[in-house]
Amino acid sequence: MHVVFLTLALLTVSGISSLISRIGRIPVPLPLIQIAIGAVAALAGLKIGFDPDMFLLLFIPPLLYADAYRMPMREFGELRNVIIMLALGLVVFTTLGCGYFIHWMIPPIALPAAFALAAVMSPTDAVSVGSMIEGGRAPARVVHILHGEALLNDASGLVCFKFAVAAAMTGIFSFQQALGSFMFMSAGGIIMGVLIAWAACRAEHVLLVRGYDDPPTHITLAMMLPFAIYLMADAMDCSGILAAVAGGMTVKFTGVMNEARTETRLKATTVWDMVNFTFNAVIFLLLGLQLPDLVTEGARIARQGGVSPWFLILAIIAIQLSMSMMRFVWIWVSITARRLFAHVRHRQTVIPSARTILIMTVAGTRGAITLAAILSLPIATATSAGFPGRDLLVTLAAGVIICSLVLASVTMPPLMAGMQTDEDDPALRELDAMRIELAQTAVQTLHAEQAALAHHEIDHDADEETVDLKQEAISRLLHEYQDSLKRLDNTAAAQSGIRATAIREKRAELALRFHVIRHMRERLHLRVMQRRINDETEATINQELDFIEQELQIEAHSLPRQAAGDHADTAAH
């Protein structure tokens, strides 16, 4: 009963925290509000144990899987060099630079332990990054880079952390072994994620082809897939995090969701949105619940060391500033190198402004992975000495997490203020262009149907009344789609209504609408294959078509049943 109560309490507070943020119009990012609520709940007596392994298994796979599924693949491919430089190069640079800085500032922390602390703080957090830039005016390229970096740098950071911990515990470190282990864990995780996700998609394809498309069953099994990928990769000593990311991208690349029923896609989108919101909220609530104990422990450690607790606060701020400075330098150097490389090869490249570099710098917040990893350090027992200085490292890491979130919440709004990116966003331009092209496709399809009907190529046995009804339906649909083209061209026009009393005409119209949507989907998929639009645009328009199709299906089911002489296919999808 205690576990059930805690679960219900966390879910309830997750919803309440969002209401507090919206109703109160508090100018603070939602993650910080949730951390504050968790801290207040802990002070009020709510205590929840924190199992790092259980935390990683329960929350990280579905969230990273969903983020990877939503990552625009075209932009990910175009920005892969920048993302890899941040996800791999910056992690190593931060681990070394910040490790030496921590050891210099706090000499009692041995150098291997300092490297372990720096390594665990080097990965940015996908959850907090998304929360900070969501709804803002950050350029689309910056958003894609930050999301891609957060998806991939967890593995490199955890590998560095693992070997730093081993060096601190045993005093032995092998660069060749570390490099080999990193390559095995990374490549193995990616391969495992791709293979398992591909096999699951093939199995799902077979089931869909045979007509087994029950939305609850499909969604339940789809939600279990990231956990299965993570556990199987972890069992092979590979990176479960990279496996979950690779699995999400593989499922998106196969396009198996497009084969499912419209009802399944709509319900799946709703369920994943709910899971994403709830898990994000619970992560920050759990962080807040641990905060009072971590602060108390930090004060105790400071007193035992004969220093003021304010020294720990200053140390946390210094560590955060040093990491931000190293991140800024790395991004600036990377951009400079990219500019020089493009100049040598006589190629054009996008050079971000100084404000954009600052946004990328402060958006590198820390979160769930850092907390879970640092809490996984061995605890001293009667038979084991534990990790040297564990309590101090946990306190510093937790402080840096909070400090990074506060820094981002304070600096991001003024940095993004006044940025006008919507008009120049290529994704929005191609979205409008694709909508116009789809409307033109609908007009062309209806003209073809009209010409075929005029020559009696659709149904040679159709009576004159049926032909007239279809002609009227085609005329009305032509007017509607031509009206859509006018609206997209920013000219006001009125859309004609549909006569509710003409039931047979309505059936003909619905059949034509389904026919048009089918051609729209084919054209949309063709443009994706030709790489003229990205899969993010495809997903947006597919969702719009799903809602339209679902509404048409509801209208078709609400019509009276056809008489024996009617054509059954006019109301079918």
Side-chain angles (χ1 to χ4, degrees):
M1 182 61 71
H2 180 64
V3 175
V4 174
F5 170 77
L6 291 178
T7 303
L8 294 176
L10 285 174
L11 294 177
T12 303
V13 175
S14 299
I16 293 176
S17 64
S18 180
L19 287 177
I20 293 175
S21 175
R22 293 180 181 274
I23 296 176
R25 296 181 179 180
I26 302 175
V28 176
L30 184 57
L32 283 179
I33 295 177
Q34 291 163 344
I35 291 174
I37 293 176
V40 172
L43 293 174
L46 182 60
K47 301 294 182 182
I48 297 180
F50 192 94
D51 185 341
D53 293 333
M54 187 63 67
F55 178 87
L56 287 174
L57 172 62
L58 180 61
F59 293 104
I60 300 306
L63 290 177
L64 293 184
Y65 176 92
D67 285 342
Y69 185 85
R70 294 167 180 167
M71 179 74 185
M73 300 300 293
R74 186 185 67 184
E75 277 73 9
F76 184 83
E78 292 175 352
L79 300 170
R80 62 185 182 276
N81 293 332
V82 178
I83 292 173
I84 291 175
M85 284 291 291
L86 292 174
L88 180 58
L90 180 56
V91 166
V92 176
F93 178 65
T94 303
T95 299
L96 295 175
C98 190
Y100 279 112
F101 176 77
I102 293 172
H103 176 66
W104 171 82
M105 184 175 58
I106 311 176
I109 299 180
L111 191 58
F115 285 147
L117 177 59
V120 81
M121 294 187 301
S122 59
T124 55
D125 185 65
V127 176
S128 55
V129 166
S131 301
M132 290 297 171
I133 61 180
E134 182 180 0
R137 287 187 171 273
R141 288 175 62 88
V142 173
V143 175
H144 298 324
I145 290 173
L146 292 174
H147 275 140
E149 176 197 6
L151 287 175
L152 299 181
N153 62 9
D154 292 332
S156 55
L158 291 180
V159 169
C160 293
F161 172 71
K162 172 185 174 182
F163 281 95
V165 170
M169 297 288 290
T170 64
I172 301 174
F173 175 77
S174 171
F175 176 78
Q176 292 181 344
Q177 182 182 3
L179 181 61
S181 177
F182 173 76
M183 297 299 295
F184 173 79
M185 291 180 64
S186 301
I190 294 174
I191 293 173
M192 290 284 292
V194 171
L195 291 179
I196 297 171
W198 182 84
C201 291
R202 292 304 302 168
E204 185 177 4
H205 171 75
V206 173
L207 292 175
L208 292 175
V209 168
R210 297 185 179 183
Y212 301 109
D213 187 4
D214 176 58
T217 303
H218 170 91
I219 295 171
T220 301
L221 293 177
M223 290 189 64
M224 293 300 104
L225 181 58
F227 297 104
I229 292 174
Y230 182 91
L231 288 172
M232 290 182 185
D234 189 64
M236 298 294 293
D237 292 328
C238 298
S239 173
I241 293 174
L242 279 182
V245 172
M249 290 184 175
T250 302
V251 171
K252 184 174 186 176
F253 182 77
T254 59
V256 69
M257 281 298 298
N258 294 330
E259 303 175 17
R261 290 165 48 191
T262 304
E263 180 185 4
T264 301
R265 290 195 296 270
L266 293 176
K267 289 183 177 180
T269 300
T270 302
V271 170
W272 276 108
D273 287 342
M274 183 186 69
V275 169
N276 188 66
F277 167 79
T278 304
F279 278 22
N280 284 346
V282 171
I283 284 175
F284 290 109
L285 287 172
L286 288 174
L287 177 57
L289 287 167
Q290 311 304 313
L291 194 58
D293 289 339
L294 292 174
V295 172
T296 303
E297 185 66 19
R300 184 188 64 80
I301 293 172
R303 294 190 188 95
Q304 286 182 350
V307 298
S308 170
W310 289 103
F311 175 77
L312 283 181
I313 297 177
L314 294 176
I316 289 170
I317 295 175
I319 292 173
Q320 173 59 45
L321 292 178
S322 68
M323 296 183 70
S324 297
M325 183 66 69
M326 283 183 279
R327 182 176 176 85
F328 178 85
V329 170
W330 183 268
I331 294 174
W332 183 82
V333 170
S334 300
I335 291 173
T336 303
R338 185 179 178 86
R339 180 190 303 174
L340 292 175
F341 183 78
H343 178 73
V344 170
R345 303 192 64 177
H346 303 287
R347 292 182 178 179
Q348 293 184 348
T349 184
V350 179
I351 305 300
S353 63
R355 181 161 62 162
T356 301
I357 297 176
L358 286 175
I359 290 175
M360 295 178 64
T361 299
V362 299
T365 55
R366 276 74 194 173
I369 295 292
T370 297
L371 183 64
I374 199 67
L375 287 175
S376 68
L377 289 174
I379 301 176
T381 62
T383 59
S384 174
F387 191 84
R390 178 187 184 275
D391 293 340
L392 177 58
L393 298 185
V394 171
T395 302
L396 292 174
V400 169
I401 293 173
I402 303 298
C403 191
S404 67
L405 292 172
V406 172
L407 176 65
S409 66
V410 171
T411 57
M412 288 287 279
L415 283 174
M416 290 194 297
M419 295 189 74
Q420 300 293 330
T421 59
D422 291 347
E423 294 85 353
D424 300 326
D425 190 348
L428 294 179
R429 289 201 304 271
E430 79 173 24
L431 191 63
D432 288 338
M434 195 66 235
R435 287 194 178 109
I436 292 175
E437 185 175 350
L438 291 182
Q440 292 170 342
T441 301
V443 171
Q444 294 170 3
T445 303
L446 290 171
H447 278 310
E449 291 290 324
Q450 197 174 45
L453 189 62
H455 292 85
H456 297 280
E457 293 177 0
I458 294 181
D459 188 351
H460 294 290
D461 298 328
D463 55 24
E464 185 176 348
E465 181 183 5
T466 301
V467 172
D468 291 340
L469 288 173
K470 289 184 177 179
Q471 287 283 15
E472 291 180 13
I474 290 175
S475 298
R476 292 197 305 108
L477 288 177
L478 273 173
H479 179 77
E480 179 179 336
Y481 284 107
Q482 288 168 346
D483 211 40
S484 297
L485 285 173
K486 293 179 181 178
R487 288 197 306 273
L488 290 172
D489 289 335
N490 297 322
T491 56
Q495 183 176 352
S496 60
I498 299 176
R499 291 177 296 177
T501 54
I503 295 176
R504 292 183 63 192
E505 181 182 346
K506 185 65 176 179
R507 289 196 181 111
E509 177 192 335
L510 289 174
L512 284 170
R513 285 182 179 273
F514 286 129
H515 185 63
V516 167
I517 290 176
R518 196 156 46 243
H519 278 266
M520 284 181 167
R521 292 191 190 277
E522 292 173 357
R523 178 64 64 90
L524 183 64
H525 184 68
L526 176 64
R527 291 297 180 253
V528 174
M529 292 297 99
Q530 294 174 343
R531 300 181 67 85
R532 293 178 58 177
I533 63 172
N534 71 346
D535 44 4
E536 192 176 33
T537 299
E538 181 193 27
T540 301
I541 296 181
N542 256 330
Q543 189 177 36
E544 295 173 0
L545 294 178
D546 285 342
F547 282 109
I548 295 173
E549 197 170 5
Q550 180 77 353
E551 182 180 356
L552 295 179
Q553 288 176 350
I554 293 174
E555 291 181 6
H557 287 305
S558 67
L559 291 174
R561 293 186 177 273
Q562 293 174 308
D566 290 342
H567 297 283
D569 61 340
T570 56
H573 175 27

